[in-house]
Amino acid sequence: MGGKKVCIVGSGNWGSAIAKIAGSNAAQLSTFENQVNMWVLEEEVDGRRLTDIINTEHENVKYLPGHKLPPNVGVDEGPDGLRLISDIIHEQLGIEMSVLMGANIANEVAGEKFCETTIGCKNTQHGQTLKELMQTPNFRVTVVQEADTVEICGALKNVVAVGAGFCDGLGYGDNTKAAVIRLGLMEMIGFAKLFCKGPVSPSTFLESCGVADLITTCYGGRNRKVAEAFAKTGKSIEQLEKEMLNGQKLQGPQTSAELHRILKSKNVVEKFPLFTAVYQICYEGKPVTDVIKCLQNHPEHK
């Protein structure tokens, strides 16, 4: 005893994947207490409580099937405009916040395939403790101090991925998708400069949380997949979410709506044509082909 206590709040595919890493490391390192508690939204799977299944079989059979969690992860039953989730948690709990973002598709992380990630942490000492908890030979961690920028990357990349999915659904090729990724990255940097309270260095966007996460989300990931189906089928985003995601939620369309409110209030909508096109296609009934118009007329090309 006497080590730092580790608790994981949330148990979707990513919560379960990170539980596998944090649980294994906590069991081996004297810096941390051995037991890692995970808080789970209780659901029934084939007539059994999900918490019971995780505690007896050490597997989240709904959100991360096929991957065993370490036995020291047990389960505890627990009780306006765009805002960073870290700010909300900081306000509610009064604790210092750090964020982890990267090109980290949960199934691949759980399968121990090599990947990189970024921890944004203003306190360098805390950053090193988190690196110790998270790093493995195949999950390599870089710590940077621009926590707000790291976190905003994680939200904005999902909007760009929706644009990429539209292009896939329309049958445009890799050149078009590369343009979506590049122009989307430029809009991400522009928005971060507008929104983040602290400094925003372009170098942070070269970390895993930036360009790498953007690429992997635009080629894999649920936002791209559902946007492709939206373009092909004409069904609503809500309908496709129900049909395709097994209880998971889409982030891209909702984030585009929150972005649009902010851009409108700051009178800079025309500087963010890709973000705007995604919003208008998802919520205002604009044709999916408008995504190409926004690329053709992008201010980057003026």
Side-chain angles (χ1 to χ4, degrees):
M1 297 298 284
K4 291 183 169 62
K5 192 167 180 53
V6 179
C7 171
I8 293 157
V9 180
S11 58
N13 62 353
W14 177 244
S16 300
I18 210 69
K20 191 175 171 186
I21 288 175
S24 295
N25 281 352
Q28 292 169 45
L29 298 167
S30 59
T31 326
F32 304 100
E33 275 190 25
N34 180 274
Q35 182 165 321
V36 173
N37 286 333
M38 180 159 71
W39 290 55
V40 174
L41 179 67
E42 189 65 274
E43 298 180 69
E44 285 219 346
V45 179
D46 297 329
R48 292 178 66 196
R49 283 158 40 129
L50 184 57
T51 51
D52 292 338
I53 296 170
I54 293 171
N55 277 343
T56 55
E57 289 157 37
H58 305 294
E59 183 180 341
N60 188 332
V61 293
K62 180 166 183 185
Y63 294 111
L64 198 69
H67 296 285
K68 291 291 182 191
L69 301 179
N72 62 315
V73 181
V75 172
D76 272 2
E77 293 185 43
D80 61 336
L82 183 74
R83 297 190 63 206
L84 298 178
I85 193 74
S86 62
D87 285 342
I88 294 166
I89 297 170
H90 173 71
E91 264 174 34
Q92 297 295 321
L93 300 183
I95 57 174
E96 200 172 298
M97 296 299 300
S98 305
V99 297
L100 181 149
M101 297 278 173
N104 305 147
I105 290 172
N107 288 349
E108 296 178 18
V109 173
E112 297 177 26
K113 295 184 167 75
F114 180 87
C115 68
E116 301 173 310
T117 199
T118 311
I119 290 177
C121 183
K122 295 182 177 84
N123 180 322
T124 49
Q125 196 179 342
H126 286 185
Q128 285 313 303
T129 303
L130 288 166
K131 178 170 181 164
E132 190 181 5
L133 176 64
M134 299 298 181
Q135 183 151 275
T136 74
N138 280 328
F139 191 70
R140 307 309 289 173
V141 176
T142 302
V143 181
V144 300
Q145 286 188 286
E146 287 182 15
D148 285 359
T149 306
V150 171
E151 188 169 358
I152 203 77
C153 282
L156 301 181
K157 59 100 191 276
N158 291 318
V159 180
V160 182
V162 172
F166 290 157
C167 290
D168 288 342
L170 292 166
Y172 296 115
D174 284 337
N175 293 343
T176 306
K177 194 141 87 168
V180 167
I181 291 169
R182 189 189 81 81
L183 293 169
L185 181 63
M186 300 306 288
E187 292 192 19
M188 285 169 63
I189 295 170
F191 186 85
K193 286 179 175 171
L194 196 71
F195 178 82
C196 292
K197 295 183 283 288
V200 174
S201 330
S203 62
T204 303
F205 290 87
L206 298 178
E207 298 293 345
S208 185
C209 63
V211 68
D213 197 10
L214 181 60
I215 290 167
T216 200
T217 310
C218 287
Y219 278 90
R222 67 189 89 151
N223 290 280
R224 188 217 63 81
K225 184 168 77 168
V226 173
E228 179 182 30
F230 177 90
K232 282 180 171 170
T233 66
K235 291 180 181 177
S236 73
I237 291 285
E238 294 75 18
Q239 181 65 32
L240 291 166
E241 189 178 60
K242 280 195 195 102
E243 287 177 16
M244 298 173 71
L245 294 186
N246 187 35
Q248 292 179 316
K249 296 293 174 197
L250 274 186
Q251 310 97 327
Q254 190 183 331
T255 303
S256 77
E258 292 171 7
L259 290 183
H260 191 68
R261 279 196 293 274
I262 292 171
L263 296 175
K264 223 171 165 182
S265 73
K266 293 186 183 287
N267 207 24
V268 287
V269 169
E270 71 291 341
K271 292 183 177 165
F272 297 87
L274 179 61
F275 289 170
T276 303
V278 168
Y279 165 73
Q280 290 175 334
I281 292 164
C282 288
Y283 294 103
E284 292 188 346
K286 291 285 176 76
V288 184
T289 47
D290 274 16
V291 77
I292 297 304
K293 283 185 194 162
C294 92
L295 302 177
Q296 290 168 335
N297 302 315
H298 203 282
E300 279 278 305
H301 300 139
K302 295 268 161 69

